[in-house]
């Protein structure tokens, strides 16, 4: 197992339960992220972040935060938006101290942009979020993920899959940072609309709650500038202390569900005997065909 990353961040009240029913504390969360750090870091470091903070744990008030708050830990760094430097600055982290500082500030979900601050206007991924209606079976969600994988392949893109930690799956294509935001969003939207047009009995490309029954919403809206999706390995502010866990395509079957992986069982998966199914994510990147 990889050595635990060092941190200079001191947790206050490390025993505080963020997931009371699951007995998962602030310290437990830092310990989990220490295990996940090397795999997780490329997906959260030097990326603008939206943070879901729950100061009293998942049963208390919650709010998304994209900008600084009073008493911001110095390891959470403010960064100006190059498109509007006069506006409120965004937040990023650069190291494990930053991640520990997010935990200290009761961040229970980390939602990064699909790009880094090195190339703000050129995303390095396309994210498709499969959001099934309550009555949709898991096999149908898997089939949708496989179809998106095939559609990405026709564009010359390698794709990767992860559980959402909620109800569905995320399929993420790896990109060389070349095309800009409008092109990325248009591509994602075209895939969603094509799936809905080809299989209107199974898929929706419009976020209509009224029509969600029996359908999977192909959410392409994660791909606009400043839009975000939950990070690989991030916890979710949901019962069970679930994790959005990267998996291999070969693992995608009825033995793994959207909420299978949790803070409590992640150590086994992140141990030395298990390979990282997203290890070559960035190496697999291609330019988006125009």
């Amino acid at each position: 197992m990889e050595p635990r990353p060092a941190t200079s961040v001191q947790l206050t009240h490390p025993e505080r339960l963020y997931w009371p029913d699951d007995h998962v504390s602030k310290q437990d969360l830092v310990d989990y992220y220490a295990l996940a750090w090397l795999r997780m870091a490329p997906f959260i470091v030097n990326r603008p972040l939206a943070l879901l903070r729950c100061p009293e744990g998942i049963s208390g008030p919650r709010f998304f935060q994209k900008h600084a708050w009073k008493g911001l830990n110095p390891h959470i760094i403010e960064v100006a938006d190059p498109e509007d430097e006069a506006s409120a600055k965004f937040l990023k982290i650069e190291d494990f101290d930053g991640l520990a500082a997010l935990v200290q500030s009761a961040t229970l979900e980390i939602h990064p942009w699909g790009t880094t601050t090195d190339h703000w206007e050129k995303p390095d991924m396309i994210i498709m979020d499969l959001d099934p209606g309550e009555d949709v079976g898991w096999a149908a969600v898997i089939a949708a993920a496989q179809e998106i994988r095939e559609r990405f392949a026709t564009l010359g893109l390698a794709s990767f899959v992860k559980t959402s930690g909620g109800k569905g799956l995320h399929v993420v294509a790896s990109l060389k940072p070349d095309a800009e935001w409008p092109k990325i969003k248009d591509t994602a939207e075209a895939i969603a609309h094509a799936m809905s047009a080809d299989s209107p009995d199974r898929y929706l490309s419009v976020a209509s709650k009224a029509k969600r029954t029996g359908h999977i919403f192909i959410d392409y809206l994660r791909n606009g500038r400043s839009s975000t999706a939950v990070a690989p390995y991030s916890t979710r502010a949901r019962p069970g202390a679930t994790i959005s866990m990267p998996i291999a395509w070969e693992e995608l079957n009825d033995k793994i569900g959207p909420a299978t992986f949790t803070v409590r069982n992640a150590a086994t998966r992140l141990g030395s005997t298990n390979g990282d199914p997203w290890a070559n994510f960035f190496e697999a990147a291609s330019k988006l065909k125009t």
Side-chain angles (χ1 to χ4, degrees):
M1 188 174 293
E2 297 290 343
R4 180 188 174 99
T7 179
S8 61
V9 174
Q10 298 297 313
L11 299 183
T12 59
H13 302 290
E15 76 288 347
R16 178 168 294 153
L17 293 177
Y18 282 158
W19 289 267
D21 292 345
D22 303 287
H23 305 287
V24 174
S25 67
K26 184 187 295 188
Q27 185 66 59
D28 293 329
L29 184 53
V30 166
D31 291 344
Y32 157 67
Y33 279 141
L35 288 175
W37 172 245
L38 289 181
R39 299 185 186 194
M40 185 182 191
F43 300 98
I44 60 171
V45 165
N46 289 325
R47 294 176 184 269
L49 303 175
L51 310 171
L52 182 60
R53 297 179 62 207
C54 305
E56 298 173 22
I58 66 166
S59 57
R62 57 181 61 197
F63 45 90
F64 266 105
Q65 197 129 21
K66 293 185 176 184
H67 308 294
W69 57 89
K70 186 177 180 180
L72 186 73
N73 187 289
H75 295 289
I76 304 170
I77 298 163
E78 293 187 85
V79 56
D81 182 346
E83 193 175 79
D84 185 6
E85 295 196 0
S87 66
K89 293 181 178 180
F90 287 101
L91 302 173
K92 72 172 186 175
I93 62 170
E94 295 181 339
D95 49 30
F96 187 72
D97 276 334
L99 182 53
L102 294 182
V103 173
Q104 168 62 21
S105 64
T107 297
L108 301 192
E109 295 187 6
I110 303 169
H111 294 242
W113 288 31
T115 194
T116 75
T117 53
D118 295 327
H119 43 76
W120 280 79
E121 307 309 328
K122 297 180 177 181
D124 56 13
M125 61 184 70
I126 301 177
I127 303 164
M128 305 296 279
D129 179 0
L130 304 182
D131 185 5
E134 296 293 343
D135 58 340
V136 174
W138 185 237
V141 181
I142 292 175
Q146 296 285 9
E147 182 172 339
I148 291 175
R149 184 188 189 190
E150 292 167 5
R151 289 178 183 266
F152 276 144
T154 65
L155 298 175
L157 302 179
S159 55
F160 297 76
V161 65
K162 64 185 179 79
T163 64
S164 68
K167 297 188 300 178
L169 290 167
H170 295 169
V171 181
V172 187
S174 177
L175 296 176
K176 289 188 182 299
D178 178 66
E180 297 191 350
W181 289 107
K183 177 65 176 177
I184 303 307
K185 187 174 181 181
D186 287 349
T187 299
E189 183 175 7
I191 290 173
H193 288 336
M195 290 177 68
S196 178
D198 291 348
S199 305
D201 57 326
R202 290 190 288 164
Y203 304 132
L204 289 174
S205 57
V206 179
S208 170
K209 291 289 186 184
K211 298 178 181 177
R212 192 71 59 89
T213 301
H215 292 77
I216 298 170
F217 172 43
I218 312 295
D219 185 354
Y220 63 87
L221 299 172
R222 310 290 178 173
N223 299 288
R225 191 183 193 278
S226 82
S227 298
T228 62
V230 71
Y233 302 102
S234 173
T235 52
R236 304 304 304 268
R238 297 170 177 263
T242 55
I243 292 165
S244 182
M245 181 67 79
I247 60 177
W249 283 106
E250 297 72 32
E251 295 180 281
L252 196 53
N253 56 45
D254 60 4
K255 294 180 181 178
I256 289 181
T260 293
F261 299 103
T262 71
V263 171
R264 288 297 186 201
N265 66 26
T268 300
R269 182 170 181 82
L270 297 174
S272 59
T273 59
N274 291 286
D276 177 0
W278 284 33
N280 69 332
F281 183 93
F282 296 101
E283 289 75 10
S286 300
K287 289 185 178 181
L288 185 64
K289 294 178 182 178
T290 56

